[in-house]
């Protein structure tokens, strides 16, 4: 009897742990109408914007998102695309069209603190919290398992989602994710959130464009890229400017202090890692001593290294591309992703 009691207690603990592992935000979905200037962004999205309303950290918040139906025979699967720090859901536009054209339902959320989602005055940002919110959005939509695609900071978030909700991720695609290395461990000096906020407040249209041209497009520029500069600039100088730059300063702190690089060996999901070999994004590299900065952001080295740590990983390297292959070479990028998903 004592053995049975012990087993029963163990099962209770196990089920409680499972329930906790699947815990997520709860809320409701609204299809609007919404103001053109939703949470400080007046950028026009390529698909209708919906809102997931929920309570988090004792405040009411909104996550804006696009929910795109398949444009051919549905394959019964849902793809979720997660944007990077200087990006929003619309930067996935070409990828969304390609996935929908392959039969996927596509959900493209804007994270809290970004784009058309809430910019809270007070919020403890963490990768766990943001993915807790995202899992809650999917639950509210009735979406179970997903194919998860994350770019840049979104790749860091996608890694956390796969660790936090492993049973709900069928495939994982990481696109030039930040966090392939532990920046502080490699010598990046810590900067305060106040310092980060001051740096965010100094952004201008020209500064954003110059950074994107150098880092995302390896010095190249096409007129079609300007729309993404405009999209971001509108938020920096929008109606929620003060809250946005504060949130972005907090996000920089998150990336520095909450590394995922030590957990790639724990990712159980079948993974495709895509990197541009000319990508040199490294959070903190611009304020690090030269000898530290020189060690950071070598995606041509980090890609093979990290893919070797993930138990079931396929690596694809674009030799001549930078940080945003889905924007600089969309057709090639889409082929790589769809071919891999079709395997």
């Amino acid at each position: 009897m004592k053995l049975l009691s012990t087993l029963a207690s163990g099962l209770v603990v196990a089920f409680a742990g499972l329930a906790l592992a699947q815990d997520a935000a709860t809320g409701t979905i609204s299809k609007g109408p919404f103001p053109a200037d939703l949470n400080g962004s007046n950028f026009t999205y390529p698909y209708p914007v919906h809102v997931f309303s929920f309570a988090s950290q004792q405040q009411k918040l909104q996550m804006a998102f696009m929910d795109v139906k398949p444009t051919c025979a549905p394959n019964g699967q849902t793809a979720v695309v997660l944007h990077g720090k200087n990006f929003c859901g619309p930067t996935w536009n070409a990828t969304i069209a390609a996935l929908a054209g392959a039969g996927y339902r596509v959900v493209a959320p804007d994270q809290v603190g970004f784009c058309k989602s809430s910019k809270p005055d007070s919020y403890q940002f963490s990768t766990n919290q943001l993915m807790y919110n995202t899992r809650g959005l999917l639950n509210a939509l009735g979406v179970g398992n997903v194919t998860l695609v994350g770019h840049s900071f979104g790749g860091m978030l996608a890694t956390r989602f796969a660790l936090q909700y492993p049973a709900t991720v069928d495939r994982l695609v990481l696109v030039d994710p930040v966090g392939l290395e532990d920046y502080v461990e490699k010598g990046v000096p810590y900067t305060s959130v106040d310092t980060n906020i001051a740096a965010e407040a100094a952004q201008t249209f020209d500064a954003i464009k110059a950074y994107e041209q150098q880092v995302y497009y390896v010095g190249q520029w096409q007129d079609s890229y300007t729309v993404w500069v405009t999209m971001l600039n509108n938020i920096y100088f929008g109606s929620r400017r003060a809250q946005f730059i504060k949130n972005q300063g907090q996000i920089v702190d998150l990336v520095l202090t909450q590394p995922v690089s030590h957990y790639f060996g724990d990712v159980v999901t079948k993974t495709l890692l895509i990197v541009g070999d000319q990508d040199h994004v490294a959070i903190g590299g611009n304020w690090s001593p030269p000898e530290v900065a020189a060690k950071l952001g070598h995606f041509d080295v980090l890609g093979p290294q990290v893919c070797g740590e993930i138990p079931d990983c396929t690596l694809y390297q674009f030799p001549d591309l930078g940080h945003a292959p889905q924007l600089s070479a969309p057709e090639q990028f889409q082929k790589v992703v769809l071919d891999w998903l079709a395997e």
Side-chain angles (χ1 to χ4, degrees):
M1 294 295 292
K2 184 177 180 181
L3 176 60
L4 289 174
S5 176
T6 301
L7 288 172
S9 297
L11 286 172
V12 169
V13 171
F15 281 120
L18 179 62
L20 183 62
Q22 298 301 319
D23 196 16
T26 57
T28 58
I29 301 294
S30 173
K31 296 185 177 181
F34 304 108
D37 182 31
L38 179 59
N39 291 311
S41 168
N42 60 16
F43 187 79
T44 301
Y45 278 31
Y47 300 96
V49 174
H50 308 315
V51 163
F52 173 54
S53 299
F54 63 106
S56 178
Q57 300 181 22
Q58 300 186 329
Q59 56 194 306
K60 295 179 179 179
L61 298 178
Q62 294 180 325
M63 275 185 74
F65 67 96
M66 295 178 287
D67 186 2
V68 182
K69 296 179 180 179
T71 54
C72 68
N75 63 14
Q77 301 179 63
T78 298
V80 178
V81 291
L82 302 180
H83 64 78
K85 179 184 178 297
N86 296 328
F87 301 80
C88 298
T91 53
W92 285 115
N93 189 16
T95 305
I96 291 172
L99 288 167
Y104 286 87
R105 176 186 183 180
V106 186
V107 178
D110 288 344
Q111 296 299 324
V112 168
F114 294 83
C115 309
K116 288 187 179 293
S117 291
S118 294
K119 318 289 187 303
D121 293 321
S122 177
Y123 203 64
Q124 181 178 332
F125 282 91
S126 70
T127 56
N128 297 80
Q129 177 70 72
L130 295 178
M131 294 303 90
Y132 181 92
N133 301 345
T134 301
R135 184 64 255 179
L137 161 64
L138 296 173
N139 290 349
L141 289 173
V143 173
N145 281 33
V146 298
T147 291
L148 192 60
V149 185
H151 168 244
S152 192
F153 176 58
M156 188 174 182
L157 293 180
T159 301
R160 175 56 60 195
F161 191 104
L163 293 166
Q164 196 162 322
Y165 303 104
T168 72
V169 185
D170 293 329
R171 298 285 185 94
L172 176 64
V173 180
L174 303 177
V175 186
D176 286 274
V178 299
L180 291 180
E181 54 194 330
D182 184 333
Y183 304 111
V184 173
E185 182 181 59
K186 286 194 171 181
V188 172
Y190 178 75
T191 57
S192 70
V193 173
D194 290 320
T195 299
N196 300 337
I197 293 171
E200 295 292 334
Q203 289 284 15
T204 64
F205 182 96
D206 289 341
I208 294 169
K209 178 180 177 180
Y211 176 79
E212 293 189 359
Q213 181 172 0
Q214 176 187 357
V215 176
Y216 299 169
Y217 312 115
V218 198
Q220 305 301 310
W221 191 259
Q222 297 180 18
D223 289 342
S224 60
Y225 301 154
T226 304
V227 65
W228 309 127
V229 181
T230 300
M231 176 191 70
L232 189 58
N233 189 69
N234 283 351
I235 312 170
Y236 271 106
F237 294 94
S239 60
R240 298 288 289 173
R241 170 177 166 79
Q243 293 79 10
F244 176 66
I245 62 176
K246 178 180 179 180
N247 291 166
Q248 294 303 294
Q250 292 172 294
I251 293 297
V252 173
D253 186 81
L254 177 163
V255 174
L256 286 175
T257 60
Q258 300 176 40
V260 298
S261 59
H262 306 289
Y263 302 98
F264 287 117
D266 298 323
V267 174
V268 298
T269 307
K270 186 176 181 66
T271 302
L272 171 64
L273 174 59
I274 299 174
V275 297
D277 283 349
Q278 303 306 310
D279 190 357
H280 297 290
V281 168
I283 308 303
N286 58 322
W287 68 73
S288 295
E291 65 274 12
V292 172
K295 298 186 296 185
L296 303 172
H298 297 285
F299 276 70
D300 57 334
V301 176
L302 291 167
Q305 174 187 314
V306 170
C307 202
E309 297 173 11
I310 299 172
D312 189 355
C313 181
T314 299
L315 175 68
Y316 191 91
Q317 295 172 267
F318 285 104
D320 301 321
L321 299 184
H323 189 62
Q326 77 278 24
L327 297 178
S328 58
E331 293 181 358
Q332 297 96 308
F333 172 80
Q334 293 158 25
K335 185 178 188 310
V336 170
V337 173
L338 292 177
D339 285 353
W340 182 77
L341 290 177
E343 289 180 0

